Coordinates of all heavy atoms in Angstrom, one line a residue:
I126 N 16.1 22.0 52.7 CA 16.2 21.0 53.6 C 17.3 20.1 53.1 O 17.7 19.9 51.9 CB 14.9 20.1 53.6 CG1 14.8 19.3 54.8 CG2 14.7 19.4 52.3 CD1 13.4 18.7 55.2
G127 N 18.1 19.5 54.0 CA 19.3 18.7 53.8 C 19.0 17.3 53.4 O 18.1 16.6 54.0
C128 N 20.1 16.7 52.7 CA 20.1 15.3 52.5 C 21.2 14.7 53.4 O 22.4 15.2 53.3 CB 20.3 15.0 51.1 SG 20.7 13.3 50.8
P129 N 21.0 13.8 54.2 CA 22.0 13.3 55.1 C 23.0 12.5 54.5 O 24.2 12.2 54.9 CB 21.2 12.4 56.0 CG 20.0 12.0 55.4 CD 19.7 13.1 54.4
V130 N 22.7 12.0 53.1 CA 23.8 11.2 52.5 C 24.6 12.1 51.5 O 25.9 12.0 51.7 CB 23.0 10.1 51.6 CG1 24.0 9.3 50.8 CG2 22.3 9.1 52.5
C131 N 24.1 12.8 50.7 CA 25.0 13.6 49.6 C 25.2 15.0 50.3 O 26.0 15.8 49.6 CB 24.3 13.7 48.4 SG 22.8 14.7 48.3
K132 N 24.6 15.4 51.3 CA 25.0 16.7 52.0 C 24.5 17.9 51.2 O 24.8 19.0 51.6 CB 26.3 16.9 52.4 CG 27.0 15.8 53.2 CD 26.2 15.5 54.5 CE 26.9 14.4 55.2 NZ 25.9 13.8 56.3
R133 N 23.6 17.7 50.2 CA 23.1 18.8 49.4 C 21.9 19.4 50.2 O 21.2 18.8 51.0 CB 22.5 18.3 48.1 CG 23.5 17.9 47.1 CD 22.9 17.5 45.7 NE 21.9 16.5 45.8 CZ 20.8 16.5 45.1 NH1 20.7 17.4 44.1 NH2 19.9 15.6 45.3
V134 N 21.7 20.7 49.9 CA 20.6 21.4 50.6 C 19.5 21.6 49.3 O 20.0 22.2 48.3 CB 20.9 22.8 51.0 CG1 19.8 23.6 51.5 CG2 21.8 22.6 52.2
L135 N 18.5 21.0 49.5 CA 17.4 20.9 48.4 C 16.4 22.1 48.5 O 15.9 22.3 49.5 CB 16.7 19.7 48.4 CG 17.7 18.4 48.4 CD1 16.8 17.3 48.6 CD2 18.6 18.4 47.1
V141 N 12.0 13.5 50.1 CA 13.1 12.5 49.7 C 14.0 13.2 48.8 O 13.7 13.9 47.8 CB 12.3 11.3 49.0 CG1 13.2 10.3 48.5 CG2 11.3 10.7 49.9
C142 N 15.2 12.9 49.0 CA 16.4 13.3 48.0 C 16.3 12.6 46.7 O 16.1 11.4 46.7 CB 17.7 12.9 48.7 SG 19.1 13.4 47.6
D143 N 16.1 13.5 45.6 CA 16.0 12.9 44.3 C 17.4 12.2 43.9 O 17.3 11.5 42.8 CB 15.7 14.0 43.3 CG 16.7 15.2 43.3 OD1 17.5 15.3 44.3 OD2 16.8 15.9 42.3
R144 N 18.5 12.3 44.6 CA 19.6 11.6 44.2 C 19.8 10.3 45.0 O 20.3 9.3 44.4 CB 20.9 12.5 44.4 CG 22.2 12.0 44.0 CD 23.4 12.9 44.2 NE 23.3 14.0 43.2 CZ 24.0 15.0 43.2 NH1 25.0 15.2 44.3 NH2 23.9 16.0 42.4
D145 N 19.7 10.4 46.3 CA 19.9 9.2 47.2 C 18.6 8.4 47.6 O 18.8 7.4 48.1 CB 20.6 9.7 48.3 CG 22.0 10.4 48.0 OD1 22.8 9.6 47.4 OD2 22.2 11.6 48.3
F146 N 17.5 8.9 47.4 CA 16.2 8.3 47.7 C 16.1 8.0 49.1 O 15.4 7.0 49.6 CB 16.1 7.1 46.8 CG 16.0 7.2 45.3 CD1 17.1 6.8 44.7 CD2 15.1 8.0 44.7 CE1 17.3 7.0 43.3 CE2 15.1 8.2 43.3 CZ 16.3 7.7 42.6
C147 N 16.7 8.9 50.0 CA 16.5 8.8 51.4 C 15.7 10.0 51.9 O 15.6 10.9 51.3 CB 17.9 8.8 52.1 SG 18.9 10.4 51.9
E148 N 15.2 9.9 53.1 CA 14.4 10.9 53.7 C 15.4 12.1 54.0 O 16.4 12.0 54.5 CB 13.7 10.5 55.0 CG 12.6 9.6 54.7 CD 11.8 9.2 55.9 OE1 11.8 10.1 56.9 OE2 11.2 8.2 56.0
T149 N 14.8 13.3 53.6 CA 15.5 14.5 53.9 C 15.4 14.9 55.4 O 14.4 14.5 56.1 CB 15.1 15.6 53.0 OG1 13.7 15.8 53.2 CG2 15.5 15.3 51.6
E150 N 16.3 15.8 55.9 CA 16.1 16.3 57.3 C 16.9 17.5 57.4 O 17.9 17.8 56.7 CB 16.7 15.2 58.3 CG 18.1 14.8 58.1 CD 18.5 13.7 58.8 OE1 17.8 12.8 59.2 OE2 19.8 13.6 59.2
G151 N 16.7 18.3 58.6 CA 17.4 19.5 58.9 C 17.0 20.8 57.9 O 17.6 20.9 56.9

Side-chain angles (χ1 to χ4, degrees):
I126 198 163
C128 172
V130 176
C131 67
K132 307 300 183 201
R133 293 182 308 149
V134 174
L135 307 175
V141 175
C142 176
D143 58 336
R144 182 179 289 171
D145 300 302
F146 306 109
C147 65
E148 288 188 23
T149 54
E150 59 187 34

